[in-house]
Amino acid sequence: MASLPIPAIPLWQAPTGSIAGPELAAAVSAAGGMGAMALTWAAPDQAAEQVASVRSITRAPFLVNYVLTRPPASLEAVLDAGVPIVAFSWGDPAPYLQTVHRAGAAVVAQATSAAGAKRLKELGVDAIICQGVEAGGHVQSSTSLATLLPAVLAAAGSTPVIASGGIATGAQAAHWLALGAAGAMLGTRFVCTRESRAHPEYKRLLIEAGEGSVALTVCFDGGWPYAAHRVLRNSTLEEWEAAGSPPAGERPGEGERLAETAAGDHVCRYEDTAPRVGFTGDIEAMCLYAGASVGQILDEP
């Protein structure tokens, strides 16, 4: 099936899990960027409502993302709601391509190697996200963006490539655009904005963090085992490393309740849940996702 046109938008917002809701996605898109929401864990009715919420604010394009470590249960619902772009990561998008294209939406998929980009091009995706290992959150890549992007661009041919991983400023985005990327995807920068659902303490810690304040680890694997993630160094990570980085079941403070959500659900130490508005408890000890360029983030615009 022929590819659909992807809008020529230089700045893309990463779909940062539960932190990025309709408010942020709509604000980014309305300002001329590509807004995004992660809907992997959303029920179909909830996902459709979030898509409708963005569309009620702006008619500009935006995307929703599904992590394919589990079936995209709300995919049909968001297509029925009129989502314009669907992004896939951490898995094979092939089973869902025709469904998305038949609905008139475009498909974007994440690649972390030249071979992966070549396959995505052959499948007929409409754009490729090239993720470097510098990314925050759950990191599918094991290669630096500087090494990876030229190889992915060569493999992708005419398929647009979006550079992702460790990008937080306009100057950094311009660098990757000059090297041939069609756009640059920023995650942590958009987590630390007023429209983000991140907890105020989480945002404060991002602003105060330096360049050496992050780690790529498997410490916060509760809820998503075996997936590496880049986070701010904090008390939980430091205590785990001091104990010799023991496996699940042997970690210091394991099972300890750190916080409560606004709905009253408990969040325990080592869970992959990022702190959101309305959470109470030991926010600093929770999973605080951040990319390698967090030191460039100095405000909450």
Side-chain angles (χ1 to χ4, degrees):
M1 183 175 291
S3 292
L4 299 171
I6 291 291
I9 293 175
L11 292 180
W12 291 46
Q13 173 219 329
T16 49
S18 57
I19 296 299
E23 314 87 1
L24 179 58
V28 173
S29 289
M34 178 68 76
M37 296 184 293
L39 296 180
T40 305
W41 295 270
D45 57 345
Q46 179 190 23
E49 287 173 7
Q50 293 195 57
V51 169
S53 178
V54 176
R55 291 186 68 87
S56 71
I57 298 171
T58 178
R59 303 306 296 179
F62 64 98
L63 67 84
V64 300
N65 180 77
Y66 290 97
V67 172
L68 294 178
T69 54
R70 63 187 68 200
S74 62
L75 179 59
E76 295 279 1
V78 300
L79 292 172
D80 289 343
V83 71
I85 302 172
V86 179
F88 297 108
S89 57
W90 287 85
D92 184 5
Y96 310 105
L97 280 173
Q98 289 191 1
T99 299
V100 178
H101 279 157
R102 277 199 302 265
V107 176
V108 178
Q110 185 165 280
T112 58
S113 69
K118 181 175 183 291
R119 180 171 183 271
L120 291 176
K121 175 182 172 60
E122 292 170 348
L123 285 174
V125 304
D126 305 296
I128 296 170
I129 297 170
C130 173
Q131 187 200 54
V133 73
E134 300 88 349
H138 287 89
V139 184
Q140 186 178 332
S141 182
S142 60
T143 307
S144 71
L145 186 58
T147 299
L148 185 60
L149 182 63
V152 167
L153 285 169
S158 60
T159 303
V161 174
I162 311 303
S164 172
I167 307 172
T169 68
Q172 289 172 331
H175 170 77
W176 301 114
L177 294 173
L179 292 179
M185 179 171 277
L186 290 67
T188 314
R189 170 65 281 179
F190 286 113
V191 170
C192 196
T193 58
R194 281 176 285 180
E195 293 85 357
S196 160
R197 292 180 173 182
H199 192 280
E201 177 70 1
Y202 180 10
K203 295 179 187 179
R204 184 186 69 80
L205 292 167
L206 289 174
I207 292 170
E208 294 180 357
E211 291 292 352
S213 299
V214 294
L216 184 63
T217 181
V218 293
C219 179
F220 297 93
D221 68 348
W224 193 344
Y226 314 116
H229 37 271
R230 190 177 299 279
V231 294
L232 289 180
R233 302 195 67 87
N234 66 357
S235 56
T236 295
L237 178 60
E238 297 287 352
E239 290 171 16
W240 177 68
E241 289 183 337
S245 303
E250 302 176 18
R251 298 176 294 192
E254 194 159 6
E256 177 186 353
R257 292 178 178 176
L258 292 179
E260 282 192 2
T261 70
D265 298 321
H266 295 292
V267 180
C268 294
R269 195 178 297 276
Y270 302 109
E271 284 190 28
D272 66 347
T273 303
R276 302 189 298 276
V277 172
F279 280 32
T280 57
D282 191 353
I283 302 301
E284 183 276 340
M286 293 180 63
C287 182
L288 306 173
Y289 299 115
S293 61
V294 66
Q296 300 295 315
I297 295 171
L298 306 175
D299 58 2
E300 185 190 345

